[in-house]
Amino acid sequence: DAKTTQPTSMDCAEGRAANLPCNHSTISGNEYVYWYRQIHSQGPQYIIHGLKNNETNEMASLIITEDRKSSTLILPHATLRDTAVYYCIANNNAGNMLTFGGGTRLMVKP
Amino acid sequence: DTGVSQNPRHKITKRGQNVTFRCDPISEHNRLYWYRQTLGQGPEFLTYFQNEAQLEKSRLLSDRFSAERPKGSFSTLEIQRTEQGDSAMYLCASSSGQYYGYTFGSGTRLTVV
């Protein structure tokens, strides 16, 4: 898996969009970008993944730059329940493990 | 679909004792993974099963650790002669294929005293 770099922590006001950046400058052409989050005392939860194109689902949007060296996870209207650690992972799906880094601790404040 | 179930949720054991954890994946998922997570760190991969076959093991999985998935359904992770350094959250995940996200269970928190 390519190395990913994320800010250690971020704050966001409730109701505003949360934009979580991730750098993956050494990502290879066949590696997908995955996002998971982990709420305290729970297992990680899959959010979204993408290869080249931007992706959107009911939880979030994923914006991947054209050169694929960075991406942004967008939570359009953050709620207090979105407070969690968010992990960005680059994975080629050929291996059978995800390599989690330290993630970004997002605090949504009222 | 009740998700991935792990039992027990918490386990406290004395150093040197053996412990066994159980994971029940989502029924139609043929892939099952074990991870370990210590406080303040991201999860670390331990081992992976496709159906009943254990296809990959991390170097973290010392010879005191053994995992099985006898009929390709539930899995067990056993730790023999536990050490204080084994204290961690043990997470199980399953998936239906390599291009799909994993579904994690809530984990088993092990404390070795």
Side-chain angles (χ1 to χ4, degrees):
Chain A
D1 294 355
K3 179 177 167 58
T4 60
T5 304
Q6 300 176 253
T8 306
S9 63
M10 291 181 63
D11 290 345
C12 178
E14 188 179 18
R16 304 297 292 269
N19 297 294
L20 292 93
C22 179
N23 284 320
H24 30 79
S25 58
T26 61
I27 195 169
S28 59
N30 62 349
E31 286 186 305
Y32 287 72
V33 178
Y34 283 82
W35 283 84
Y36 284 77
R37 73 179 182 184
Q38 189 170 24
I39 295 168
H40 183 61
S41 296
Q42 297 182 21
Q45 177 189 25
Y46 165 79
I47 301 173
I48 198 167
H49 75 282
L51 183 63
K52 295 180 184 178
N53 301 321
N54 299 337
E55 302 289 342
T56 296
N57 63 20
E58 64 278 3
M59 289 183 70
S61 295
L62 174 60
I63 308 298
I64 303 174
T65 58
E66 195 168 340
D67 63 8
R68 301 205 334 114
K69 293 186 177 182
S70 66
S71 61
T72 302
L73 179 75
I74 301 171
L75 308 178
H77 305 286
T79 70
L80 298 179
R81 286 181 290 183
D82 292 321
T83 292
V85 178
Y86 287 77
Y87 297 99
C88 168
I89 300 165
N91 182 268
N92 64 10
N93 291 321
N96 296 306
M97 70 176 89
L98 296 176
T99 302
F100 289 82
T104 295
R105 185 171 298 277
L106 176 69
M107 178 75 72
V108 180
K109 298 184 174 181
Chain B
D1 177 2
T2 57
V4 176
S5 176
Q6 291 189 248
N7 288 289
R9 286 298 309 275
H10 304 274
K11 178 72 177 179
I12 300 174
T13 191
K14 291 184 179 179
R15 190 175 52 184
Q17 297 293 305
N18 299 343
V19 293
T20 300
F21 311 140
R22 177 178 170 122
C23 172
D24 288 272
I26 293 173
S27 57
E28 60 267 28
H29 287 182
N30 62 347
R31 295 176 170 224
L32 186 145
Y33 312 83
W34 284 98
Y35 282 74
R36 180 173 70 184
Q37 186 173 27
T38 53
L39 210 57
Q41 305 297 314
E44 297 172 296
F45 171 78
L46 291 178
T47 191
Y48 155 68
F49 289 85
Q50 185 160 333
N51 300 311
E52 66 275 9
Q54 187 174 20
L55 297 184
E56 200 160 340
K57 290 167 65 171
S58 163
R59 276 172 266 176
L60 291 175
L61 214 65
S62 77
D63 57 6
R64 296 185 297 106
F65 287 70
S66 61
E68 294 183 343
R69 194 182 183 197
K71 296 182 180 178
S73 56
F74 73 92
S75 175
T76 58
L77 177 68
E78 181 184 18
I79 309 174
Q80 296 183 326
R81 306 181 302 282
T82 51
E83 302 172 356
Q84 286 189 318
D86 297 331
S87 295
M89 175 77 84
Y90 289 84
L91 294 160
C92 175
S94 68
S95 76
S96 56
Q98 64 185 118
Y99 295 105
Y100 297 91
Y102 297 4
T103 301
F104 280 84
S106 296
T108 294
R109 181 168 295 284
L110 173 67
T111 303
V112 181
V113 297

